[in-house]
Amino acid sequence: MASIQSKDPAPSGEKTFFGHPRGMATLFMTEMWERFSWYGMRALLVLYLYSAVSDGGLGIDHTTAVAIYGVYNAVVYMVAMPGGWVADRLWGARKAVLVGGVIIAAGHFTLAIPHSAVFFLGLGLIAIGTGLLKPNISALVGDLYQDQPSARRDAGFTLFYMAINIGGLLAPLTVGYLGEHVDWHLGFGLAGVGMSLAVVQYVLGGKHLGDAGTKPTNPASHAEKRSALNRVLLWTGVAAGALLIDVLLGTYDIEHIVNALAVLGVVVPIGYFVVIFRSPKLTAEGRPKIVAFVWFFMTAVLFWMIFDQSGSLLNIFADEKTNRLIGGWEFPASWLQSANPAWVIILAPIFASLWVKLAQRNREPSTPVKFALAMLLIGGSFALMGLAGAAAAASDTGKVTVFWLLAVYGVQTMGEMCLSPVGLSLSTKLAPKEFISQIMGLWFLAVATGNALNGWATRLNEPLGDSLYYTLWAVVAGLTGVAFMLGARKLRSLTGEVH
């Protein structure tokens, strides 16, 4: 997108990006192409895992495929924590984003190689690269809005969120079609092309970022670097040793890895919060803000546990229980993964404008209230899924109209608008400067923990059936939203001047 001159030009007289800092154009386009690669691969992943070998898939059963999908999503966001640490302590956010982008591109091109063992290597590379890129590009956005009003900062993050969803909209329509109708691995390769464009855009536009992220905010000493390396080698050795023993004993099953990573997804955030609270660099002023962040984190975990089933159980529902015929042609199930990004593109400007206008009238809902609304909406979306499941079961064809899923994704998107861009902005405002990238990593770790729990939660779908399963989580989310609404005043007292 071309830059335009803002009505309120920057002090330097430079052009701005739709009224925002010019560096936002660089980060916007980089994130758009990175998300194109991610959502393209994600739209195909569970379908590829459980498709028959004769159809070019891996032939894994539905339950295991869904569990692998959830835990893989967890791992991708889990490595955001060490990615944040690398930026804070070693490289700075700018270099971390670049290196991460190159590794992600290599991972997608590895997926294009038609071999199952190499396929899982590619997934590993994407996870490592995303851990470096994801928290740190958001931290760079925060750097562009230093000392600017809260509402403007929120509007900037909402604009950034639109970049994510433009990429997410285009990816299933192109990568999904190519993967499902031509060849799975060509689809994965196209995702790699998108990531390569992200890297090129980032390098060419880096001059507009100024000094943002060029240096680590809390440089590690030589002893700290050596200690970190030793811990990495130790735990890598433990994991490799456990896997080797499992294989040698003849007891290896992919479920063992899924369960171990699910446990890790729960244990890691607990451990990291303990480390932050015990740090001597956490001041008395910053402590209550981190306490408040814990509550926002736990609520986000439940939100993402429900929301991210869109790429697994809801994707399978689209494939098997949704009428996708247009005339005599059946469009790919993966195309429905574009519904949520399309809703975001429609709703994001509306929500961004709404928050600014309400703030000008001093009537903007507090962040706790926005989170409560998010939980009520995500619960409502699964209430709709419960009805869709009942309708499919009662139908002669076993399928429902596509409008059920479109409505579900629309309600989920309204909840997402109340939580995700607001939570991104909140994280940068609550975080002490010594922990900025690591707090951003923790925010993304909420997605990881939610997906880790998905590895277990989604297994209830088969014994309970669609209607009861979705209704169960609708009730849990609704009760959480009510509880958060009741506790809003206490949370506001903890956040202090941050709103």
Side-chain angles (χ1 to χ4, degrees):
M1 294 186 182
S3 300
I4 64 172
Q5 186 71 33
S6 169
K7 293 180 180 179
D8 298 310
S12 62
E14 293 182 356
K15 291 184 177 180
T16 60
F17 183 64
F18 294 102
H20 291 270
R22 179 62 181 84
M24 268 296 295
T26 298
L27 301 180
F28 182 100
M29 296 299 291
T30 303
E31 182 72 354
M32 185 190 77
W33 283 114
E34 187 274 329
R35 290 290 89 183
F36 174 91
S37 71
W38 166 252
Y39 282 109
M41 183 276 294
R42 196 184 88 147
L44 294 179
L45 182 56
V46 76
L47 301 176
Y48 172 73
L49 290 174
Y50 81 77
S51 289
V53 174
S54 59
D55 294 329
L58 294 186
I60 297 173
D61 66 89
H62 283 43
T63 301
T64 303
V66 168
I68 291 172
Y69 172 90
V71 170
Y72 177 67
N73 273 286
V75 171
V76 167
Y77 286 97
M78 202 183 306
V79 292
M81 286 310 306
W85 187 91
V86 167
D88 277 347
R89 311 301 306 275
L90 300 179
W91 294 347
R94 187 83 69 89
K95 181 179 178 181
V97 169
L98 176 60
V99 174
V102 172
I103 295 174
I104 293 170
H108 284 295
F109 287 124
T110 302
L111 296 186
I113 301 172
H115 193 286
S116 60
V118 177
F119 179 83
F120 286 103
L121 172 63
L123 291 181
L125 290 172
I126 294 170
I128 293 169
T130 304
L132 285 169
L133 184 146
K134 193 63 179 168
N136 296 311
I137 195 170
S138 297
L140 288 175
V141 173
D143 281 349
L144 296 180
Y145 290 88
Q146 289 289 346
D147 303 320
Q148 297 204 29
S150 175
R152 178 171 168 78
R153 189 186 190 95
D154 285 357
F157 271 100
T158 302
L159 177 64
F160 181 69
Y161 211 68
M162 283 192 69
I164 294 173
N165 288 281
I166 291 172
L169 169 66
L170 298 174
L173 300 177
T174 52
V175 175
Y177 179 83
L178 189 62
E180 285 193 69
H181 283 261
V182 182
D183 183 88
W184 296 109
H185 298 284
L186 286 177
F188 293 131
L190 180 58
V193 172
M195 189 63 238
S196 298
L197 291 173
V199 173
V200 171
Q201 157 66 24
Y202 183 73
V203 172
L204 294 178
K207 62 185 178 182
H208 299 296
L209 297 175
D211 294 330
T214 54
K215 297 179 181 179
T217 57
N218 183 23
S221 66
H222 179 71
E224 288 173 321
K225 294 177 183 178
R226 186 174 57 217
S227 175
L229 177 61
N230 288 339
R231 286 198 298 269
V232 169
L233 293 175
L234 172 63
W235 289 110
T236 301
V238 168
L243 178 61
L244 179 61
I245 291 172
D246 202 14
V247 171
L248 292 176
L249 291 176
T251 57
Y252 170 76
D253 190 293
I254 196 168
E255 288 286 329
H256 298 169
I257 296 177
V258 170
N259 289 330
L261 292 174
V263 171
L264 194 63
V266 175
V267 171
V268 168
I270 295 174
Y272 219 93
F273 273 118
V274 170
V275 170
I276 290 177
F277 278 115
R278 293 179 63 183
S279 172
K281 295 183 179 180
L282 181 62
T283 64
E285 180 185 0
R287 183 172 294 272
K289 294 178 181 179
I290 300 300
V291 171
F293 183 77
V294 171
W295 289 102
F296 289 112
F297 174 88
M298 291 192 297
T299 305
V301 166
L302 179 58
F303 180 91
W304 294 117
M305 190 194 80
I306 295 173
F307 183 92
D308 274 343
Q309 292 181 39
S310 60
S312 56
L313 285 181
L314 271 63
N315 205 5
I316 292 175
F317 190 94
D319 188 41
E320 298 182 347
K321 300 180 182 179
T322 302
N323 183 348
R324 294 176 281 111
L325 288 173
I326 300 177
W329 180 69
E330 186 175 55
F331 66 84
S334 58
W335 277 17
L336 281 166
Q337 294 299 297
S338 289
N340 167 253
W343 278 116
V344 172
I345 291 168
I346 294 169
L347 294 174
I350 298 173
F351 272 76
S353 177
L354 177 64
W355 299 145
V356 172
K357 288 182 178 179
L358 289 175
Q360 290 171 346
R361 299 176 184 178
N362 202 29
R363 297 181 63 183
E364 182 185 10
S366 66
T367 298
V369 171
K370 291 177 183 178
F371 268 58
L373 291 172
M375 295 311 300
L376 294 173
L377 287 164
I378 198 70
S381 75
F382 261 38
L384 282 176
M385 275 304 301
L387 294 174
S395 170
D396 292 337
T397 62
K399 295 185 177 183
V400 295
T401 174
V402 70
F403 292 107
W404 279 103
L405 280 176
L406 292 177
V408 167
Y409 288 133
V411 175
Q412 287 189 345
T413 301
M414 287 188 284
E416 185 183 3
M417 288 291 94
C418 291
L419 181 138
S420 191
V422 175
L424 276 171
S425 181
L426 176 76
S427 300
T428 62
K429 289 185 285 188
L430 287 179
K433 64 179 182 179
E434 294 85 1
F435 301 101
I436 178 66
S437 286
Q438 292 173 74
I439 290 296
M440 289 307 305
L442 266 169
W443 173 249
F444 291 113
L445 196 58
V447 184
T449 304
N451 277 278
L453 294 175
N454 261 341
W456 295 316
T458 52
R459 297 180 188 185
L460 295 173
N461 178 251
E462 186 173 349
L464 293 180
D466 284 342
S467 184
L468 184 56
Y469 173 81
Y470 292 119
T471 301
L472 168 66
W473 290 114
V475 171
V476 171
L479 292 175
T480 302
V482 171
F484 216 79
M485 189 79 74
L486 295 174
R489 182 174 297 179
K490 175 62 176 176
L491 282 170
R492 290 187 67 181
S493 70
L494 290 172
T495 58
E497 75 279 5
V498 174
H499 298 292

mmCIF file of all heavy atoms in Angstrom, residues 5 58 183 196 199 224 259 365 407 450 478 485:
data_model
loop_
_atom_site.group_PDB
_atom_site.id
_atom_site.type_symbol
_atom_site.label_atom_id
_atom_site.label_comp_id
_atom_site.label_asym_id
_atom_site.label_seq_id
_atom_site.Cartn_x
_atom_site.Cartn_y
_atom_site.Cartn_z
ATOM 1 N N GLN A 5 -0.125 11.242 3.095
ATOM 2 C CA GLN A 5 0.206 12.279 4.066
ATOM 3 C C GLN A 5 -0.875 12.381 5.123
ATOM 4 O O GLN A 5 -2.052 12.451 4.815
ATOM 5 C CB GLN A 5 0.345 13.631 3.350
ATOM 6 C CG GLN A 5 0.830 14.749 4.268
ATOM 7 C CD GLN A 5 2.278 14.566 4.630
ATOM 8 O OE1 GLN A 5 3.053 14.070 3.838
ATOM 9 N NE2 GLN A 5 2.647 14.953 5.821
ATOM 10 N N LEU A 58 -1.145 -38.218 5.049
ATOM 11 C CA LEU A 58 -0.406 -39.105 5.955
ATOM 12 C C LEU A 58 -1.279 -40.203 6.541
ATOM 13 O O LEU A 58 -0.772 -41.116 7.194
ATOM 14 C CB LEU A 58 0.221 -38.285 7.093
ATOM 15 C CG LEU A 58 1.311 -37.293 6.687
ATOM 16 C CD1 LEU A 58 1.944 -36.654 7.919
ATOM 17 C CD2 LEU A 58 2.382 -37.962 5.827
ATOM 18 N N ASP A 183 -1.791 -30.389 -5.518
ATOM 19 C CA ASP A 183 -0.817 -31.216 -4.790
ATOM 20 C C ASP A 183 -0.548 -30.566 -3.436
ATOM 21 O O ASP A 183 -0.301 -29.355 -3.370
ATOM 22 C CB ASP A 183 0.491 -31.332 -5.583
ATOM 23 C CG ASP A 183 1.505 -32.232 -4.900
ATOM 24 O OD1 ASP A 183 1.476 -33.449 -5.147
ATOM 25 O OD2 ASP A 183 2.313 -31.712 -4.103
ATOM 26 N N SER A 196 9.062 -15.650 1.776
ATOM 27 C CA SER A 196 10.219 -15.020 1.145
ATOM 28 C C SER A 196 9.926 -13.553 0.825
ATOM 29 O O SER A 196 10.786 -12.684 0.992
ATOM 30 C CB SER A 196 10.588 -15.768 -0.144
ATOM 31 O OG SER A 196 10.945 -17.109 0.144
ATOM 32 N N VAL A 199 10.367 -11.452 3.947
ATOM 33 C CA VAL A 199 11.767 -11.136 4.267
ATOM 34 C C VAL A 199 12.273 -10.000 3.384
ATOM 35 O O VAL A 199 12.927 -9.060 3.867
ATOM 36 C CB VAL A 199 12.649 -12.387 4.105
ATOM 37 C CG1 VAL A 199 14.124 -12.025 4.269
ATOM 38 C CG2 VAL A 199 12.261 -13.454 5.128
ATOM 39 N N GLU A 224 25.680 -15.132 31.777
ATOM 40 C CA GLU A 224 24.273 -15.439 31.509
ATOM 41 C C GLU A 224 24.110 -16.143 30.168
ATOM 42 O O GLU A 224 23.292 -17.075 30.030
ATOM 43 C CB GLU A 224 23.448 -14.160 31.547
ATOM 44 C CG GLU A 224 23.256 -13.588 32.951
ATOM 45 C CD GLU A 224 22.572 -12.236 32.932
ATOM 46 O OE1 GLU A 224 22.876 -11.413 32.035
ATOM 47 O OE2 GLU A 224 21.732 -12.006 33.814
ATOM 48 N N ASN A 259 1.404 -35.641 24.164
ATOM 49 C CA ASN A 259 1.109 -35.433 25.587
ATOM 50 C C ASN A 259 2.228 -34.679 26.297
ATOM 51 O O ASN A 259 1.969 -33.799 27.134
ATOM 52 C CB ASN A 259 0.875 -36.773 26.276
ATOM 53 C CG ASN A 259 -0.442 -37.412 25.871
ATOM 54 O OD1 ASN A 259 -1.402 -36.714 25.556
ATOM 55 N ND2 ASN A 259 -0.496 -38.735 25.869
ATOM 56 N N PRO A 365 -14.999 1.361 26.950
ATOM 57 C CA PRO A 365 -14.973 0.289 27.950
ATOM 58 C C PRO A 365 -13.539 0.015 28.396
ATOM 59 O O PRO A 365 -12.594 0.121 27.610
ATOM 60 C CB PRO A 365 -15.552 -0.916 27.201
ATOM 61 C CG PRO A 365 -16.281 -0.347 26.034
ATOM 62 C CD PRO A 365 -15.558 0.907 25.667
ATOM 63 N N ALA A 407 -21.611 -17.715 10.184
ATOM 64 C CA ALA A 407 -22.125 -17.004 11.358
ATOM 65 C C ALA A 407 -21.236 -17.241 12.569
ATOM 66 O O ALA A 407 -20.940 -16.313 13.342
ATOM 67 C CB ALA A 407 -23.555 -17.454 11.656
ATOM 68 N N GLY A 450 -3.390 -22.366 25.350
ATOM 69 C CA GLY A 450 -4.727 -22.720 24.899
ATOM 70 C C GLY A 450 -4.705 -23.867 23.911
ATOM 71 O O GLY A 450 -5.513 -24.808 24.001
ATOM 72 N N GLY A 478 -19.026 -18.579 28.747
ATOM 73 C CA GLY A 478 -19.995 -17.596 29.214
ATOM 74 C C GLY A 478 -19.839 -17.284 30.690
ATOM 75 O O GLY A 478 -19.872 -16.113 31.103
ATOM 76 N N MET A 485 -16.287 -9.799 34.157
ATOM 77 C CA MET A 485 -17.016 -8.536 34.242
ATOM 78 C C MET A 485 -17.140 -8.088 35.700
ATOM 79 O O MET A 485 -16.954 -6.916 36.031
ATOM 80 C CB MET A 485 -18.408 -8.701 33.633
ATOM 81 C CG MET A 485 -19.199 -7.410 33.465
ATOM 82 S SD MET A 485 -18.692 -6.451 32.020
ATOM 83 C CE MET A 485 -19.408 -7.436 30.688
#
